[in-house]
Amino acid sequence: LRAGATELVAAARLAGLDVVIAGRDDAVAARLGCDRVVSNGPRLPRAIRSLQQGGAVVLLVAAGGSPGLPAADVALGLRAGSGPPPWGADLLAEDDGLAPAFLVLQASSVARRVARESAVVATLGAATGAVAGLLGRPSGAVGRTMNAVNAASAVALANGTRAGIELARRPTPTWPDP
């Protein structure tokens, strides 16, 4: 196993994601605690499309020029040794370490949380705007409503910015080579 593989799977679990491994070795999948094993090699794009048809959004982490990179919704290409970069990937890592994949998983978890929080803020802003529009003089109703909605937008934007800064300040993980 690559250094950090176990921690990467744990991070995916913490983010509420299913883990699917591409390969032929069921023992590795069992050791990592993966949910499923799919075919690797030329059949990988078909397996990815099958997952997508089932409603999954696929993040593929692959070293080298994997044939699954173009099929994935988000593809993180890890550079294999001194070989060429995996140009078919959406995101490129400078080496074959799993730290960038760990960061992408953390970012998706943070983004999911911030989206839920922003939806709550938007609902509160809309409700506050509706109440503010009904109170007071009718000629100022639009202004009061927009003030409440704009304030909610500013709160959601500030919350997203705070979460992004917090994510950027997290240290890059390092793992011992197994």
Side-chain angles (χ1 to χ4, degrees), residues 32-118:
L32 287 173
C34 296
D35 298 306
R36 214 167 134 191
V37 178
V38 297
S39 299
N40 200 359
R43 294 189 297 182
L44 182 57
R46 190 174 336 150
I48 290 172
R49 287 189 196 92
S50 174
L51 291 168
Q52 291 165 333
Q53 287 172 351
V57 175
V58 177
L59 163 65
L60 175 66
V61 179
S66 171
L69 292 173
D73 296 301
V74 178
L76 173 62
L78 306 175
R79 188 177 205 137
S82 62
W87 293 116
D90 300 309
L91 304 167
L92 296 174
E94 60 192 31
D95 57 23
D96 65 347
L98 293 176
F102 191 80
L103 178 62
V104 170
L105 286 176
Q106 286 183 322
S108 67
S109 178
V110 169
R112 181 182 289 170
R113 178 179 49 85
V114 169
R116 280 193 303 262
E117 293 168 353
S118 295

